[in-house]
Amino acid sequence: MQEIIIYALQSCIVMTAMYFVYFLFLRKETYFGINRIFLLLTFTLPFLIPSFQFNIQSDPQKFSYILQEVVVNPTITKSKEFFQTDYWQIFFGAYAVIVILLLMKLLYNITKMLLLIKNTSFEKIGEFKIAYLEGISSFSFFNNIFINKNTDFPNVEKVVIHEKSHAMQKHSIDILLAELVVAFQWFNPFAWYSYKALKQTHEFLADEATIAKGIEQYDYSELLLSEVLNARFNQISNNFNHSLIKRRIQMITKSKSSTIAKFKILLSIPVIAASVWLISCSNENKTSDASAVAEVKTTANQEVPSAPPAGTEVENNESSSKVYSVVETMPEFKGGQAELGKFFSTNVKYPENALKKNIQGKVFVGFVVTSNGKVANVSLKRGVNPELDKEALRVVALMDGMWIPGKDKGKQVDVELTIPVNFSLK
Protein backbone atom coordinates (compact mmCIF):
# COMPACT_ATOMS: atom_id res chain seq x y z
CA MET A 1 0.00 0.00 0.00
CA GLN A 2 2.74 2.42 0.94
CA GLU A 3 4.59 1.69 -2.29
CA ILE A 4 1.46 2.55 -4.32
CA ILE A 5 1.07 5.93 -2.57
CA ILE A 6 4.75 6.75 -3.09
CA TYR A 7 4.49 5.70 -6.75
CA ALA A 8 1.44 7.96 -7.20
CA LEU A 9 3.27 10.90 -5.60
CA GLN A 10 6.32 10.37 -7.81
CA SER A 11 4.06 10.30 -10.88
CA CYS A 12 2.41 13.49 -9.62
CA ILE A 13 5.76 15.29 -9.44
CA VAL A 14 6.73 14.33 -13.00
CA MET A 15 3.30 15.23 -14.42
CA THR A 16 3.33 18.61 -12.67
CA ALA A 17 6.77 19.44 -14.07
CA MET A 18 5.72 18.49 -17.60
CA TYR A 19 2.51 20.49 -17.39
CA PHE A 20 4.49 23.60 -16.49
CA VAL A 21 6.65 23.11 -19.59
CA TYR A 22 3.46 23.00 -21.66
CA PHE A 23 1.91 26.00 -19.89
CA LEU A 24 4.98 28.21 -20.15
CA PHE A 25 6.27 27.34 -23.61
CA LEU A 26 3.74 25.46 -25.77
CA ARG A 27 0.13 26.42 -25.05
CA LYS A 28 0.20 29.62 -27.14
CA GLU A 29 1.81 28.02 -30.17
CA THR A 30 -0.17 26.93 -33.23
CA TYR A 31 1.65 23.63 -33.77
CA PHE A 32 -1.27 21.74 -32.27
CA GLY A 33 -0.05 18.30 -33.38
CA ILE A 34 3.18 18.79 -31.43
CA ASN A 35 1.22 20.02 -28.43
CA ARG A 36 -0.95 16.92 -28.59
CA ILE A 37 2.11 14.66 -28.60
CA PHE A 38 3.56 16.52 -25.62
CA LEU A 39 0.33 16.28 -23.64
CA LEU A 40 0.08 12.55 -24.36
CA LEU A 41 3.62 12.20 -23.02
CA THR A 42 2.45 14.15 -19.98
CA PHE A 43 -0.14 11.43 -19.38
CA THR A 44 2.19 8.46 -19.96
CA LEU A 45 5.77 9.24 -18.90
CA PRO A 46 4.91 10.08 -15.27
CA PHE A 47 3.72 6.49 -14.86
CA LEU A 48 6.66 4.94 -16.66
CA ILE A 49 9.57 6.82 -15.08
CA PRO A 50 8.97 5.70 -11.44
CA SER A 51 8.64 2.08 -12.58
CA PHE A 52 12.26 1.99 -13.75
CA GLN A 53 15.06 1.87 -11.22
CA PHE A 54 18.73 2.37 -12.07
CA ASN A 55 21.37 1.74 -9.43
CA ILE A 56 24.48 3.90 -9.72
CA GLN A 57 26.40 2.33 -6.87
CA SER A 58 30.19 2.52 -7.37
CA ASP A 59 31.13 -0.27 -4.95
CA PRO A 60 28.26 -2.76 -4.89
CA GLN A 61 29.91 -5.60 -2.96
CA LYS A 62 30.51 -3.95 0.42
CA PHE A 63 27.12 -3.70 2.02
CA SER A 64 24.00 -5.80 2.40
CA TYR A 65 20.31 -5.01 2.20
CA ILE A 66 19.21 -2.99 5.23
CA LEU A 67 15.96 -3.93 6.92
CA GLN A 68 13.60 -1.58 8.72
CA GLU A 69 15.04 -0.79 12.14
CA VAL A 70 13.69 -1.98 15.46
CA VAL A 71 13.74 0.31 18.48
CA VAL A 72 14.78 -0.86 21.92
CA ASN A 73 14.22 1.10 25.13
CA PRO A 74 14.22 0.14 28.81
CA THR A 75 10.49 -0.51 28.95
CA ILE A 76 9.48 -1.70 25.47
CA THR A 77 10.96 -2.92 22.23
CA LYS A 78 9.02 -2.30 19.10
CA SER A 79 9.10 -2.16 15.38
CA LYS A 80 8.70 1.46 14.36
CA GLU A 81 5.30 0.90 12.82
CA PHE A 82 4.12 -1.96 14.99
CA PHE A 83 2.39 0.02 17.75
CA GLN A 84 1.65 3.13 15.70
CA THR A 85 -1.39 4.01 13.64
CA ASP A 86 -0.94 2.72 10.12
CA TYR A 87 -1.36 6.08 8.42
CA TRP A 88 -0.28 4.59 5.08
CA GLN A 89 -3.29 2.29 5.21
CA ILE A 90 -5.60 5.24 5.92
CA PHE A 91 -4.11 7.24 3.04
CA PHE A 92 -4.34 4.28 0.71
CA GLY A 93 -7.95 3.61 1.69
CA ALA A 94 -9.02 7.20 0.97
CA TYR A 95 -7.03 7.24 -2.27
CA ALA A 96 -8.45 3.89 -3.45
CA VAL A 97 -12.07 4.85 -2.71
CA ILE A 98 -11.89 7.95 -4.91
CA VAL A 99 -10.04 6.07 -7.67
CA ILE A 100 -12.76 3.41 -7.68
CA LEU A 101 -15.52 6.03 -7.81
CA LEU A 102 -13.87 7.80 -10.75
CA LEU A 103 -13.35 4.53 -12.60
CA MET A 104 -17.00 3.64 -12.00
CA LYS A 105 -18.00 7.03 -13.39
CA LEU A 106 -15.86 6.41 -16.48
CA LEU A 107 -17.39 2.96 -16.92
CA TYR A 108 -20.86 4.49 -16.57
CA ASN A 109 -20.12 7.09 -19.27
CA ILE A 110 -18.74 4.45 -21.63
CA THR A 111 -21.76 2.21 -21.04
CA LYS A 112 -24.12 5.13 -21.60
CA MET A 113 -22.33 5.97 -24.86
CA LEU A 114 -22.42 2.37 -26.09
CA LEU A 115 -26.14 2.12 -25.34
CA LEU A 116 -26.75 5.36 -27.24
CA ILE A 117 -24.84 3.99 -30.23
CA LYS A 118 -26.74 0.69 -30.05
CA ASN A 119 -30.15 2.37 -29.92
CA THR A 120 -29.52 5.00 -32.61
CA SER A 121 -30.18 4.72 -36.31
CA PHE A 122 -27.17 5.92 -38.27
CA GLU A 123 -26.55 7.05 -41.82
CA LYS A 124 -23.32 5.41 -42.95
CA ILE A 125 -21.00 7.61 -45.01
CA GLY A 126 -17.77 5.83 -45.84
CA GLU A 127 -16.08 4.77 -42.61
CA PHE A 128 -18.25 7.12 -40.53
CA LYS A 129 -21.71 6.71 -39.03
CA ILE A 130 -23.77 9.89 -38.66
CA ALA A 131 -26.95 10.41 -36.64
CA TYR A 132 -29.10 13.52 -36.18
CA LEU A 133 -30.60 13.90 -32.69
CA GLU A 134 -32.48 16.56 -30.80
CA GLY A 135 -31.40 18.09 -27.49
CA ILE A 136 -27.69 17.36 -27.82
CA SER A 137 -24.50 19.19 -28.61
CA SER A 138 -22.85 17.81 -31.74
CA PHE A 139 -20.13 15.35 -30.78
CA SER A 140 -18.21 12.28 -31.89
CA PHE A 141 -17.06 9.06 -30.27
CA PHE A 142 -14.59 7.16 -32.42
CA ASN A 143 -16.30 6.91 -35.86
CA ASN A 144 -19.79 7.61 -34.51
CA ILE A 145 -20.87 11.20 -35.16
CA PHE A 146 -23.92 12.79 -33.57
CA ILE A 147 -25.23 16.08 -34.98
CA ASN A 148 -27.73 18.40 -33.33
CA LYS A 149 -30.87 18.04 -35.42
CA ASN A 150 -31.63 21.75 -35.02
CA THR A 151 -28.34 22.89 -36.55
CA ASP A 152 -28.95 25.33 -39.41
CA PHE A 153 -28.67 23.54 -42.74
CA PRO A 154 -25.80 25.73 -44.09
CA ASN A 155 -23.77 24.87 -40.99
CA VAL A 156 -24.35 21.12 -40.93
CA GLU A 157 -21.52 20.41 -43.40
CA LYS A 158 -19.06 22.44 -41.30
CA VAL A 159 -20.01 20.62 -38.13
CA VAL A 160 -19.72 17.22 -39.86
CA ILE A 161 -16.25 18.10 -41.18
CA HIS A 162 -15.22 19.16 -37.68
CA GLU A 163 -16.44 15.94 -36.06
CA LYS A 164 -14.92 13.81 -38.83
CA SER A 165 -11.58 15.44 -38.02
CA HIS A 166 -11.91 14.28 -34.41
CA ALA A 167 -12.71 10.76 -35.57
CA MET A 168 -9.92 10.57 -38.15
CA GLN A 169 -7.32 11.75 -35.64
CA LYS A 170 -8.46 9.18 -33.04
CA HIS A 171 -9.08 11.77 -30.34
CA SER A 172 -11.38 9.39 -28.45
CA ILE A 173 -8.39 7.19 -27.60
CA ASP A 174 -6.64 10.20 -26.08
CA ILE A 175 -9.70 11.04 -23.99
CA LEU A 176 -10.03 7.52 -22.59
CA LEU A 177 -6.33 7.45 -21.72
CA ALA A 178 -6.59 10.84 -20.01
CA GLU A 179 -9.70 9.76 -18.09
CA LEU A 180 -7.83 6.73 -16.74
CA VAL A 181 -4.82 8.81 -15.72
CA VAL A 182 -6.96 11.45 -14.01
CA ALA A 183 -8.74 8.71 -12.06
CA PHE A 184 -5.41 7.65 -10.55
CA GLN A 185 -4.10 11.21 -10.24
CA TRP A 186 -7.32 12.78 -8.90
CA PHE A 187 -5.42 14.56 -6.11
CA ASN A 188 -3.15 16.34 -8.61
CA PRO A 189 -4.73 19.56 -9.96
CA PHE A 190 -2.24 19.59 -12.82
CA ALA A 191 -3.60 16.27 -14.06
CA TRP A 192 -6.98 17.97 -14.48
CA TYR A 193 -5.36 21.01 -16.12
CA SER A 194 -3.54 18.69 -18.52
CA TYR A 195 -6.82 16.94 -19.33
CA LYS A 196 -8.49 20.27 -20.09
CA ALA A 197 -5.51 21.31 -22.23
CA LEU A 198 -5.70 18.06 -24.20
CA LYS A 199 -9.40 18.50 -24.96
CA GLN A 200 -8.79 22.09 -26.05
CA THR A 201 -5.94 20.94 -28.29
CA HIS A 202 -8.31 18.43 -29.89
CA GLU A 203 -10.67 21.27 -30.70
CA PHE A 204 -7.85 23.38 -32.15
CA LEU A 205 -6.80 20.46 -34.35
CA ALA A 206 -10.36 19.86 -35.56
CA ASP A 207 -10.89 23.59 -36.17
CA GLU A 208 -7.64 23.74 -38.14
CA ALA A 209 -8.67 20.73 -40.26
CA THR A 210 -12.07 22.28 -40.94
CA ILE A 211 -10.56 25.60 -42.07
CA ALA A 212 -8.15 23.63 -44.29
CA LYS A 213 -11.19 22.20 -46.13
CA GLY A 214 -11.93 25.66 -47.50
CA ILE A 215 -14.32 26.97 -44.85
CA GLU A 216 -13.90 30.75 -44.39
CA GLN A 217 -12.53 31.79 -41.00
CA TYR A 218 -15.24 34.43 -40.53
CA ASP A 219 -18.08 32.01 -41.33
CA TYR A 220 -16.61 29.37 -39.07
CA SER A 221 -16.19 31.85 -36.21
CA GLU A 222 -19.85 32.79 -36.61
CA LEU A 223 -20.76 29.12 -36.41
CA LEU A 224 -18.84 28.72 -33.15
CA LEU A 225 -20.69 31.67 -31.64
CA SER A 226 -24.06 30.39 -32.83
CA GLU A 227 -23.41 26.95 -31.36
CA VAL A 228 -22.78 28.12 -27.78
CA LEU A 229 -24.01 25.20 -25.78
CA ASN A 230 -27.25 24.73 -23.91
CA ALA A 231 -27.50 21.02 -24.72
CA ARG A 232 -26.22 17.89 -23.02
CA PHE A 233 -23.05 16.02 -23.87
CA ASN A 234 -21.09 13.02 -22.65
CA GLN A 235 -17.80 13.70 -20.89
CA ILE A 236 -15.85 11.10 -22.89
CA SER A 237 -16.96 12.44 -26.29
CA ASN A 238 -15.36 15.10 -28.47
CA ASN A 239 -17.84 17.96 -28.33
CA PHE A 240 -18.14 20.61 -30.99
CA ASN A 241 -18.81 23.25 -28.35
CA HIS A 242 -16.86 21.92 -25.40
CA SER A 243 -13.86 24.23 -25.48
CA LEU A 244 -14.03 27.93 -24.69
CA ILE A 245 -15.34 29.60 -27.83
CA LYS A 246 -13.28 32.77 -27.37
CA ARG A 247 -10.04 30.77 -27.11
CA ARG A 248 -10.88 28.73 -30.22
CA ILE A 249 -11.62 31.81 -32.29
CA GLN A 250 -8.33 33.36 -31.14
CA MET A 251 -6.40 30.29 -32.28
CA ILE A 252 -8.25 30.17 -35.62
CA THR A 253 -7.32 33.75 -36.43
CA LYS A 254 -3.82 33.68 -34.93
CA SER A 255 -0.79 33.86 -37.22
CA LYS A 256 1.14 30.63 -37.62
CA SER A 257 3.90 30.20 -35.06
CA SER A 258 7.48 30.47 -36.26
CA THR A 259 9.31 27.30 -37.32
CA ILE A 260 11.60 27.52 -34.30
CA ALA A 261 8.56 27.12 -32.05
CA LYS A 262 8.41 23.46 -33.13
CA PHE A 263 11.57 22.80 -31.19
CA LYS A 264 10.16 24.06 -27.91
CA ILE A 265 9.04 20.51 -27.26
CA LEU A 266 12.73 19.72 -26.72
CA LEU A 267 12.48 21.70 -23.49
CA SER A 268 10.83 18.61 -22.07
CA ILE A 269 14.12 16.68 -22.31
CA PRO A 270 15.75 18.34 -19.26
CA VAL A 271 12.54 17.79 -17.29
CA ILE A 272 12.42 14.11 -18.23
CA ALA A 273 16.14 13.69 -17.53
CA ALA A 274 15.83 15.36 -14.13
CA SER A 275 12.84 13.15 -13.29
CA VAL A 276 14.76 10.00 -14.21
CA TRP A 277 17.74 11.14 -12.16
CA LEU A 278 15.74 12.08 -9.05
CA ILE A 279 13.24 9.21 -9.10
CA SER A 280 14.64 6.26 -11.05
CA CYS A 281 18.38 6.66 -10.46
CA SER A 282 19.26 6.18 -6.86
CA ASN A 283 22.32 5.56 -4.75
CA GLU A 284 20.15 5.34 -1.64
CA ASN A 285 19.90 1.99 0.08
CA LYS A 286 16.65 0.20 -0.68
CA THR A 287 14.96 -0.84 2.58
CA SER A 288 12.06 -3.10 3.27
CA ASP A 289 10.05 0.02 4.13
CA ALA A 290 10.50 3.19 2.11
CA SER A 291 9.81 5.40 5.11
CA ALA A 292 12.81 3.92 6.86
CA VAL A 293 15.32 5.26 4.33
CA ALA A 294 15.77 8.51 6.20
CA GLU A 295 16.21 6.62 9.48
CA VAL A 296 19.18 4.52 8.38
CA LYS A 297 21.86 6.58 10.10
CA THR A 298 24.22 6.09 13.03
CA THR A 299 24.21 8.29 16.09
CA ALA A 300 27.08 10.18 14.49
CA ASN A 301 24.81 10.89 11.50
CA GLN A 302 26.95 8.80 9.19
CA GLU A 303 24.82 7.35 6.39
CA VAL A 304 24.88 3.64 5.79
CA PRO A 305 26.06 3.01 2.21
CA SER A 306 23.70 1.70 -0.40
CA ALA A 307 22.71 -1.82 -1.29
CA PRO A 308 23.81 -3.35 -4.61
CA PRO A 309 21.45 -4.33 -7.41
CA ALA A 310 19.49 -7.57 -7.40
CA GLY A 311 21.56 -10.68 -8.00
CA THR A 312 24.82 -9.24 -6.56
CA GLU A 313 26.94 -11.77 -4.73
CA VAL A 314 28.83 -11.12 -1.50
CA GLU A 315 31.61 -13.07 0.14
CA ASN A 316 30.52 -15.92 2.40
CA ASN A 317 33.09 -16.69 5.08
CA GLU A 318 31.44 -19.85 6.39
CA SER A 319 30.41 -21.81 3.31
CA SER A 320 31.25 -22.26 -0.31
CA SER A 321 27.73 -21.42 -1.48
CA LYS A 322 26.95 -18.10 -3.11
CA VAL A 323 25.53 -15.40 -0.86
CA TYR A 324 23.54 -12.60 -2.46
CA SER A 325 23.01 -9.08 -1.26
CA VAL A 326 19.75 -8.27 -3.11
CA VAL A 327 17.55 -10.75 -4.96
CA GLU A 328 14.23 -10.72 -6.79
CA THR A 329 12.30 -11.87 -3.70
CA MET A 330 13.96 -10.81 -0.47
CA PRO A 331 13.81 -12.97 2.68
CA GLU A 332 10.93 -12.19 5.05
CA PHE A 333 10.49 -12.82 8.75
CA LYS A 334 7.67 -15.31 9.26
CA GLY A 335 4.56 -13.28 10.04
CA GLY A 336 6.02 -10.08 8.65
CA GLN A 337 7.16 -6.89 10.33
CA ALA A 338 4.61 -7.17 13.13
CA GLU A 339 5.95 -10.57 14.21
CA LEU A 340 9.52 -9.28 13.96
CA GLY A 341 8.52 -6.48 16.34
CA LYS A 342 7.00 -9.00 18.74
CA PHE A 343 10.13 -11.14 18.60
CA PHE A 344 12.40 -8.27 19.59
CA SER A 345 10.01 -7.00 22.28
CA THR A 346 10.07 -10.47 23.84
CA ASN A 347 13.79 -11.20 23.61
CA VAL A 348 15.81 -8.00 23.81
CA LYS A 349 16.86 -6.69 27.22
CA TYR A 350 18.42 -3.27 27.56
CA PRO A 351 21.79 -3.89 29.30
CA GLU A 352 21.62 -2.53 32.86
CA ASN A 353 25.13 -1.07 32.83
CA ALA A 354 24.44 0.79 29.56
CA LEU A 355 21.19 2.05 31.07
CA LYS A 356 22.97 3.40 34.16
CA LYS A 357 25.57 5.20 32.01
CA ASN A 358 22.90 6.61 29.71
CA ILE A 359 24.41 4.85 26.67
CA GLN A 360 22.28 4.64 23.55
CA GLY A 361 22.74 4.34 19.81
CA LYS A 362 22.08 2.27 16.73
CA VAL A 363 23.79 -1.08 16.23
CA PHE A 364 23.94 -2.57 12.73
CA VAL A 365 24.01 -6.35 12.72
CA GLY A 366 24.66 -8.37 9.58
CA PHE A 367 23.50 -11.94 9.04
CA VAL A 368 22.74 -14.41 6.27
CA VAL A 369 19.33 -15.99 5.75
CA THR A 370 20.21 -19.30 4.15
CA SER A 371 18.24 -21.08 1.44
CA ASN A 372 16.52 -23.18 4.11
CA GLY A 373 15.55 -20.23 6.34
CA LYS A 374 18.39 -20.59 8.85
CA VAL A 375 20.41 -17.66 10.21
CA ALA A 376 24.19 -17.75 9.67
CA ASN A 377 27.22 -15.46 9.65
CA VAL A 378 25.88 -13.13 12.37
CA SER A 379 28.34 -10.26 12.57
CA LEU A 380 28.67 -6.70 13.79
CA LYS A 381 28.57 -4.21 10.92
CA ARG A 382 28.72 -1.08 13.02
CA GLY A 383 28.67 -0.91 16.79
CA VAL A 384 27.96 1.60 19.53
CA ASN A 385 29.04 0.00 22.82
CA PRO A 386 30.28 -3.52 23.64
CA GLU A 387 27.25 -4.34 25.79
CA LEU A 388 24.71 -3.02 23.30
CA ASP A 389 26.56 -4.71 20.46
CA LYS A 390 26.61 -8.04 22.31
CA GLU A 391 22.87 -7.92 23.07
CA ALA A 392 21.99 -7.09 19.48
CA LEU A 393 24.15 -9.95 18.18
CA ARG A 394 22.61 -12.36 20.71
CA VAL A 395 19.02 -11.64 19.73
CA VAL A 396 19.68 -11.72 15.99
CA ALA A 397 21.25 -15.17 16.41
CA LEU A 398 18.02 -16.35 18.08
CA MET A 399 16.12 -15.81 14.81
CA ASP A 400 17.51 -19.04 13.40
CA GLY A 401 14.86 -20.88 11.38
CA MET A 402 12.37 -18.01 11.63
CA TRP A 403 12.79 -16.61 8.10
CA ILE A 404 11.23 -17.33 4.72
CA PRO A 405 14.21 -17.70 2.35
CA GLY A 406 14.86 -15.28 -0.49
CA LYS A 407 14.55 -16.30 -4.13
CA ASP A 408 16.45 -15.37 -7.26
CA LYS A 409 15.27 -16.61 -10.67
CA GLY A 410 12.82 -18.91 -8.90
CA LYS A 411 15.47 -20.60 -6.76
CA GLN A 412 15.92 -20.27 -2.98
CA VAL A 413 19.30 -18.71 -2.24
CA ASP A 414 21.41 -17.42 0.66
CA VAL A 415 20.92 -13.69 1.21
CA GLU A 416 22.86 -11.32 3.45
CA LEU A 417 20.83 -8.77 5.41
CA THR A 418 21.57 -5.99 7.88
CA ILE A 419 19.17 -4.98 10.64
CA PRO A 420 19.54 -1.71 12.57
CA VAL A 421 18.81 -2.19 16.29
CA ASN A 422 18.22 1.23 17.81
CA PHE A 423 18.83 1.31 21.57
CA SER A 424 17.02 4.44 22.69
CA LEU A 425 16.39 6.05 26.08
CA LYS A 426 13.79 8.49 24.72
Side-chain angles (χ1 to χ4, degrees):
M1 289 181 288
Q2 179 176 340
E3 289 77 10
I4 293 174
I5 296 295
I6 292 173
Y7 178 82
L9 291 174
Q10 290 174 334
S11 301
C12 172
I13 292 170
V14 180
M15 179 173 285
T16 299
M18 294 192 69
Y19 174 78
F20 273 103
V21 172
Y22 169 81
F23 183 83
L24 294 173
F25 303 109
L26 298 176
R27 71 186 176 98
K28 294 183 179 180
E29 304 300 339
T30 61
Y31 291 108
F32 307 125
I34 291 176
N35 286 359
R36 179 193 181 192
I37 292 171
F38 184 86
L39 287 167
L40 289 176
L41 289 175
T42 301
F43 283 106
T44 52
L45 286 182
F47 289 89
L48 295 177
I49 290 175
S51 64
F52 294 105
Q53 293 296 324
F54 305 98
N55 193 285
I56 54 175
Q57 188 63 34
S58 58
D59 188 4
Q61 297 193 9
K62 272 190 174 182
F63 307 95
S64 58
Y65 187 97
I66 300 178
L67 299 169
Q68 180 184 339
E69 72 175 44
V70 290
V71 180
V72 179
N73 62 47
T75 58
I76 191 168
T77 301
K78 61 183 178 179
S79 169
K80 273 199 151 184
E81 293 182 339
F82 179 58
F83 289 103
Q84 297 178 9
T85 303
D86 192 346
Y87 292 108
W88 288 108
Q89 188 171 7
I90 295 173
F91 293 151
F92 178 79
Y95 169 78
V97 166
I98 298 178
V99 169
I100 291 170
L101 289 175
L102 289 172
L103 291 176
M104 289 175 64
K105 180 184 177 183
L106 174 59
L107 182 60
Y108 169 78
N109 284 331
I110 293 174
T111 302
K112 187 177 176 181
M113 181 66 70
L114 294 176
L115 288 174
L116 176 63
I117 293 170
K118 180 181 178 181
N119 297 323
T120 299
S121 298
F122 288 93
E123 174 187 347
K124 190 166 178 61
I125 301 177
E127 59 182 308
F128 304 102
K129 296 190 296 182
I130 302 177
Y132 298 87
L133 304 177
E134 291 186 357
I136 65 163
S137 170
S138 300
F139 67 90
S140 62
F141 184 70
F142 290 92
N143 287 354
N144 304 285
I145 297 174
F146 298 84
I147 306 297
N148 189 327
K149 197 172 185 178
N150 296 321
T151 303
D152 293 339
F153 181 75
N155 292 325
V156 170
E157 181 184 3
K158 302 169 190 174
V159 176
V160 170
I161 293 173
H162 178 96
E163 297 304 333
K164 280 184 177 180
S165 300
H166 280 305
M168 291 172 67
Q169 295 178 42
K170 311 297 183 186
H171 291 170
S172 294
I173 296 176
D174 298 4
I175 296 298
L176 292 176
L177 170 65
E179 285 277 347
L180 282 172
V181 171
V182 167
F184 288 96
Q185 284 281 299
W186 58 263
F187 59 90
N188 179 8
F190 299 103
W192 297 93
Y193 294 155
S194 298
Y195 183 24
K196 179 181 177 181
L198 180 63
K199 296 195 82 169
Q200 286 185 341
T201 300
H202 287 167
E203 297 303 325
F204 299 154
L205 283 164
D207 291 340
E208 183 179 58
T210 305
I211 297 296
K213 292 289 186 179
I215 307 297
E216 292 292 335
Q217 287 186 2
Y218 178 80
D219 292 340
Y220 191 68
S221 298
E222 271 195 337
L223 170 61
L224 293 181
L225 291 172
S226 68
E227 289 278 336
V228 173
L229 165 68
N230 281 322
R232 298 174 288 109
F233 61 90
N234 190 301
Q235 184 178 349
I236 61 171
S237 63
N238 297 291
N239 282 80
F240 187 76
N241 304 294
H242 181 69
S243 297
L244 295 175
I245 299 300
K246 180 180 177 181
R247 177 79 171 138
R248 289 173 64 183
I249 293 175
Q250 286 176 339
M251 299 308 283
I252 288 169
T253 57
K254 186 176 182 178
S255 300
K256 195 74 173 176
S257 298
S258 63
T259 304
I260 197 171
K262 290 181 178 180
F263 299 99
K264 286 186 176 181
I265 195 173
L266 299 179
L267 293 169
S268 63
I269 294 177
V271 173
I272 296 170
S275 299
V276 171
W277 176 260
L278 292 174
I279 294 175
S280 296
C281 293
S282 174
N283 59 2
E284 295 275 349
N285 184 78
K286 294 182 179 179
T287 67
S288 61
D289 188 307
S291 64
V293 173
E295 302 290 339
V296 185
K297 296 186 178 182
T298 67
T299 53
N301 287 328
Q302 293 177 306
E303 293 189 7
V304 176
S306 306
T312 300
E313 300 172 20
V314 295
E315 184 180 355
N316 183 0
N317 296 324
E318 294 187 7
S319 73
S320 58
S321 62
K322 293 180 180 178
V323 179
Y324 294 81
S325 178
V326 179
V327 290
E328 294 170 355
T329 303
M330 293 299 293
E332 182 181 357
F333 192 84
K334 293 178 180 178
Q337 188 65 33
E339 288 301 319
L340 181 62
K342 286 182 181 179
F343 175 83
F344 271 83
S345 66
T346 301
N347 292 281
V348 176
K349 295 180 180 179
Y350 206 110
E352 291 186 11
N353 191 48
L355 180 60
K356 291 177 182 178
K357 295 181 180 179
N358 199 36
I359 298 173
Q360 59 182 344
K362 192 177 296 186
V363 180
F364 289 86
V365 178
F367 61 100
V368 173
V369 175
T370 65
S371 59
N372 56 6
K374 300 287 185 180
V375 169
N377 291 10
V378 179
S379 62
L380 182 67
K381 293 292 185 180
R382 184 169 294 166
V384 174
N385 167 270
E387 293 182 80
L388 299 183
D389 299 346
K390 182 178 179 181
E391 179 63 9
L393 289 166
R394 182 188 71 83
V395 176
V396 170
L398 292 177
M399 296 190 294
D400 191 44
M402 304 181 73
W403 287 82
I404 300 172
K407 291 183 179 181
D408 196 66
K409 298 178 181 177
K411 180 182 178 182
Q412 292 185 178
V413 294
D414 295 355
V415 182
E416 183 181 14
L417 304 174
T418 297
I419 186 168
V421 182
N422 189 1
F423 291 87
S424 175
L425 296 176
K426 295 180 182 180

